[in-house]
């Protein structure tokens, strides 16, 4: 495990996952300072989700301990002191300890192949029932040959509440994630 000190933003009502590209608005001075500091160094920032969105000035106990290390892609300064930030999630991290790039622990190959086939079948059934499902996203999900990559793509694109995404982010075993 690699230890790093990174500027951190507490996110309200959202969880950013690895490989997810998303924008959000910030207006807390701490968050704006963190983004500015990231831009002065290597554009890397740590994103943690708040447990309670109503907490105005969260401290460590108000945040989940697992988050995502992300690269800041773009900043847009808006009126009234708001900054819109575009980030690309890179990999999972923990407070004061960032894990290496292996987001999941891989099970044996045969199990993974069976899981991939099962997921592909579920994806096709979901797309058949949901006629408005994006064909581009369907293609992305189906072409992913690696189980970890497939699960990450599904989690990034599937419309679920941020608390559900946070739950998956905190899991480290692909078998556990698959079972959920």
């Amino acid at each position: 495990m690699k230890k790093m000190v990174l500027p951190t933003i507490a996110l309200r009502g959202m969880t950013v996952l690895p490989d997810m590209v998303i924008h959000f608005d910030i207006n807390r001075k701490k968050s704006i300072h963190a983004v500015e500091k990231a831009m002065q160094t290597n554009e890397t920032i740590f994103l943690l989700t708040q447990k309670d969105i109503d907490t105005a000035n969260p401290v460590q106990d108000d945040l989940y301990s697992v988050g995502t290390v992300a690269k800041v892609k773009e900043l847009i300064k808006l009126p009234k002191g708001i900054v819109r930030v575009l980030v690309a999630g890179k990999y999972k991290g923990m407070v004061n300890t960032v894990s290496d790039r292996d987001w999941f622990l891989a099970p044996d190959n045969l199990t993974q192949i069976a899981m991939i086939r099962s997921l592909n079948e579920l994806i096709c059934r979901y797309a058949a029932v949901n006629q408005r499902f994006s064909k581009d996203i369907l293609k992305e999900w189906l072409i992913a040959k690696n189980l970890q990559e497939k699960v990450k793509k599904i989690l990034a694109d599937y419309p679920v509440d941020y608390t559900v995404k946070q739950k998956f982010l905190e899991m480290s075993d692909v078998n556990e994630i698959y079972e959920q």
Side-chain angles (χ1 to χ4, degrees):
M1 294 233 204
K2 183 177 170 187
K3 292 187 178 187
M4 301 169 64
V5 177
L6 293 173
T8 303
I9 294 180
L11 300 173
R12 293 181 190 180
M14 69 183 299
T15 298
V16 176
L17 300 172
D19 296 327
M20 197 172 176
V21 177
I22 193 166
H23 69 83
F24 52 85
D25 296 342
I26 56 173
N27 64 355
R28 286 190 271 220
K29 289 184 181 182
K30 284 182 181 180
S31 297
I32 293 170
H33 178 70
V35 169
E36 288 171 349
K37 188 172 179 181
M39 295 307 288
Q40 292 169 0
T41 55
N42 58 5
E43 299 174 349
T44 301
I45 196 149
F46 190 44
L47 305 172
L48 286 171
T49 302
Q50 286 184 214
K51 293 176 183 175
D52 179 5
I53 63 172
D54 295 326
T55 304
N57 293 308
V59 294
Q60 188 168 342
D61 289 342
D62 298 321
L63 304 170
Y64 290 100
S65 61
V66 178
T68 301
V69 176
K71 181 165 181 80
V72 178
K73 296 290 197 179
E74 183 178 69
L75 293 176
I76 301 172
K77 294 192 178 191
L78 301 172
K80 299 181 182 178
I82 296 172
V83 177
R84 180 158 294 154
V85 183
L86 177 67
V87 297
K90 290 168 46 177
Y91 50 93
K92 182 168 87 167
M94 294 180 68
V95 174
N96 294 331
T97 303
V98 177
S99 68
D100 49 274
R101 292 189 177 271
D102 295 330
W103 192 42
F104 305 109
L105 301 174
D108 67 80
N109 233 8
L110 290 176
T111 305
Q112 278 196 13
I113 292 168
M115 289 177 177
I116 289 170
R117 287 182 182 156
S118 176
L119 278 175
N120 283 344
E121 187 179 311
L122 285 171
I123 290 166
C124 289
R125 275 197 254 153
Y126 177 78
V129 171
N130 186 351
Q131 296 296 322
R132 294 180 5 197
F133 186 69
S134 167
K135 300 296 181 208
D136 292 332
I137 291 175
L138 174 64
K139 182 179 171 186
E140 283 290 314
W141 288 5
L142 291 173
I143 63 171
K145 299 296 181 205
N146 177 290
L147 182 60
Q148 291 84 346
E149 179 186 338
K150 185 178 290 291
V151 171
K152 283 196 281 187
K153 286 180 183 292
I154 292 169
L155 288 174
D157 295 329
Y158 193 74
V160 294
D161 189 65
Y162 76 94
T163 56
V164 174
K165 287 185 180 189
Q166 181 67 38
K167 179 180 168 187
F168 281 108
L169 181 62
E170 291 181 4
M171 294 178 188
S172 59
D173 181 17
V174 76
N175 289 320
E176 182 183 8
I177 294 168
Y178 175 80
E179 292 299 322
Q180 293 293 320

